[in-house]
Amino acid sequence: MRNLIRLVSLLVCLGLLFTPLSGVVRSAPLAPTAPTLTVTPGTAAQGTQVQVKGTGFNSSDVSVSLYLDVASAQNPIIGATNAILPDGSWLMDVMVPPWATVASHKLIAVGVNRLGNEQAETTISVTASGKKAAFI
């Protein structure tokens, strides 16, 4: 009889150990991460290529546009992509505009989806191109 009680007790303990707790403990939902932007290299000459990577964007974004200093319709887009991956990341190679002044600039990525826009920023240091202007 003792062995039977021990066996039943062991089975009950094992059952409790391996039974999921339903509705008792709930983890908090993860807060959405803010989009981030990185540029490689962080210092580049006018007219050279850089690689820009975005992460944490909404995967339902229709497109992402890249601006220098100000994200507005009056400011030219220096890069764009509609290849946003399911994890919310994207990658694009863009040329540092030859007209960019030698200074530190903001790179601004704006993602557009049906819920609105989302934005991420980083900085890039622009140096002189080293090319001489040709006069004709």
Side-chain angles (χ1 to χ4, degrees):
M1 185 69 162
R2 263 191 183 159
N3 287 340
L4 181 60
I5 292 173
R6 284 183 185 165
L7 178 62
V8 169
S9 297
L10 178 65
L11 291 175
V12 168
C13 288
L14 286 174
L16 289 175
L17 182 65
F18 291 107
T19 302
L21 299 173
S22 59
V24 176
V25 177
R26 295 190 188 256
S27 60
L30 295 175
T33 59
T36 60
L37 196 61
T38 55
V39 61
T40 306
T43 299
Q46 300 156 320
T48 60
Q49 293 282 334
V50 294
Q51 188 172 73
V52 182
K53 180 178 183 179
T55 57
F57 281 75
N58 190 327
S59 61
S60 68
D61 283 350
V62 175
S63 66
V64 175
S65 298
L66 192 63
Y67 299 88
L68 191 67
D69 292 324
V70 178
S72 73
Q74 292 76 32
N75 197 19
I77 295 172
I78 63 169
T81 185
N82 60 357
I84 296 93
L85 299 176
D87 67 357
S89 66
W90 50 265
L91 190 66
M92 71 172 97
D93 293 322
V94 297
M95 182 178 73
V96 175
W99 45 261
T101 58
V102 175
S104 180
H105 293 273
K106 280 195 302 187
L107 276 178
I108 305 165
V110 178
V112 178
N113 63 54
R114 64 181 176 80
L115 302 174
N117 295 348
E118 57 185 345
Q119 183 171 307
E121 297 179 4
T122 192
T123 57
I124 183 170
S125 294
V126 176
T127 60
S129 69
K131 295 179 182 177
K132 303 279 186 204
F135 293 100
I136 300 174

